[in-house]
């Protein structure tokens, strides 16, 4: 049941995300400055100028995602994540479907050949994920500026909640934990890094939950921005 639930969950999210990425519409709410994370940063010449916070560098061909500079690295960061590797190895490949259960394959080659050898580059994709999280954070800051000055509504809270969860998932990464404290020989000589390592370790235990939570917050944030941009719902405003 667990592998089946993982297949359904990941399959549904991948389907939704793929449709949205290539929809090329309903990603920007000009009135409130809401930009969905699936289109951040918007870098093709098809993007609306107001939504292109970092310029337009790519042609607007339908096959090119509007966030083509970030989506590949986010995908690689998630694909090579230690938790996701366990999840899709056990569910999609049945290798193995669970502990003490025979592997679904006759032989085992490990992660020593292409393409699985790329899994060992996870630590480098982590750095790109940090940069992308900074970009998403900047989008949240910009969204607090309304035409009448400072303002926020329900969309701001959803964007903010999503970026907080994304940061929690990113820094709970095993690579981040190793970068902060993995090479220290004496914690007593590095009290600040030790405290940071302890906090990241606390998050690391919850890495699986954060992985699924962020899939949910990403889909929720994108769907809400799409709904407001398409005029299906009106944003609940608290100030301006």
């Amino acid at each position: 049941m667990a592998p089946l639930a993982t297949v359904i969950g990941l399959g549904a999210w991948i389907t939704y995300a793929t449709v949205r990425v290539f929809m090329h519409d309903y990603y920007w709410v000009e009135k409130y400055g809401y930009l969905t994370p699936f289109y951040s940063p918007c870098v093709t010449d098809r993007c609306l100028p107001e939504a292109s916070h970092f310029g337009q560098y790519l042609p607007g061909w339908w096959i090119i995602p509007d966030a083509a500079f970030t989506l590949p690295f986010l995908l690689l960061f998630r694909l090579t994540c230690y938790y996701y590797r366990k999840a899709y190895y056990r569910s999609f490949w049945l290798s193995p479907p669970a502990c003490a259960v025979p592997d679904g394959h006759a032989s085992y080659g490990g992660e020593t050949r292409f393409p699985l050898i790329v899994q060992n580059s996870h630590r480098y994709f982590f750095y790109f994920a940090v940069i992308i999280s900074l970009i998403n954070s900047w989008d949240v800051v910009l969204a607090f500026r309304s035409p009448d000055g400072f303002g926020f509504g329900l969309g701001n809270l959803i964007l903010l909640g999503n970026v907080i969860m994304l940061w929690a998932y990113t820094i709970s990464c095993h690579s981040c934990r190793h970068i902060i404290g993995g090479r220290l020989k004496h914690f007593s000589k590095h009290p600040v890094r030790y405290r940071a390592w302890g906090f990241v370790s606390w998050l690391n235990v919850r890495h699986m939950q954060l992985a699924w939570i962020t899939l949910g917050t990403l889909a929720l944030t994108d769907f809400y921005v799409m709904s407001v941009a398409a005029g299906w719902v009106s944003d609940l405003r608290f100030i301006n």
Side-chain angles (χ1 to χ4, degrees), residues 1 8 15 36 73 135 160 169 177 184-185 189 229:
M1 294 301 295
I8 294 174
T15 301
T36 173
F73 293 108
I135 293 174
L160 180 61
Y169 168 71
R177 181 172 180 266
L184 296 181
K185 297 182 181 299
K189 295 182 180 180

Side-chain angles (χ1 to χ4, degrees), residues 83 204-214:
Y83 165 69
N204 180 256
V205 177
R206 296 155 178 81
H207 196 53
M208 179 186 73
Q209 291 89 336
L210 290 170
W212 283 100
I213 289 172
T214 50

Side-chain angles (χ1 to χ4, degrees), residues 19-239:
V19 171
R20 281 294 290 139
V21 164
F22 292 103
M23 186 179 291
H24 303 301
D25 202 359
Y26 303 137
Y27 57 88
W28 169 253
V29 180
E30 182 177 3
K31 188 175 182 181
Y32 305 124
Y34 296 161
L35 178 63
T36 173
F38 286 176
Y39 285 75
S40 176
C42 211
V43 295
T44 67
D45 58 18
R46 179 180 46 243
C47 296
L48 296 172
E50 300 82 2
S52 302
H53 301 151
F54 295 90
Q56 300 175 347
Y57 307 100
L58 298 177
W61 301 339
W62 72 269
I63 199 172
I64 299 179
D66 291 313
F69 281 173
T70 56
L71 289 178
F73 293 108
L74 281 178
L75 177 62
L76 289 170
F77 178 62
R78 297 254 175 180
L79 281 176
T80 59
C81 166
Y82 294 122
Y83 165 69
Y84 280 116
R85 280 149 73 172
K86 182 192 80 170
Y88 65 76
Y89 283 0
R90 290 186 173 186
S91 57
F92 288 91
W93 294 349
L94 301 178
S95 181
C99 295
V101 177
D103 198 300
H105 302 267
S107 61
Y108 174 73
E111 296 174 333
T112 59
R113 297 191 298 265
F114 185 82
L116 294 186
I117 196 172
V118 179
Q119 305 283 33
N120 298 308
S121 301
H122 177 65
R123 70 192 69 178
Y124 304 111
F125 298 134
F126 163 76
Y127 296 121
F128 287 102
V130 170
I131 296 173
I132 296 169
S133 294
L134 289 172
I135 293 174
N136 292 151
S137 300
W138 180 241
D139 293 335
V140 172
V141 172
L142 292 179
F144 280 98
R145 298 188 306 174
S146 73
D148 299 323
F150 174 78
F152 75 94
L154 179 59
N156 293 98
L157 298 181
I158 293 176
L159 287 167
L160 180 61
N162 175 64
V163 82
I164 290 174
M165 289 295 100
L166 287 178
W167 273 114
Y169 168 71
T170 302
I171 65 175
S172 70
C173 167
H174 297 73
S175 295
C176 178
R177 181 172 180 266
H178 177 72
I179 290 168
I180 291 176
R183 297 182 178 181
L184 296 181
K185 297 182 181 299
H186 304 283
F187 281 133
S188 59
K189 295 182 180 180
H190 305 274
V192 175
R193 290 182 64 184
Y194 174 66
R195 287 183 176 274
W197 177 82
F199 175 69
V200 171
S201 297
W202 179 81
L203 286 175
N204 180 256
V205 177
R206 296 155 178 81
H207 196 53
M208 179 186 73
Q209 291 89 336
L210 290 170
W212 283 100
I213 289 172
T214 50
L215 291 184
T217 58
L218 280 167
L220 172 64
T221 303
D222 177 78
F223 186 79
Y224 185 81
V225 172
M226 176 175 63
S227 300
V228 176
W232 302 338
V233 299
S234 298
D235 185 42
L236 177 61
R237 303 298 292 177
F238 304 117
I239 298 177

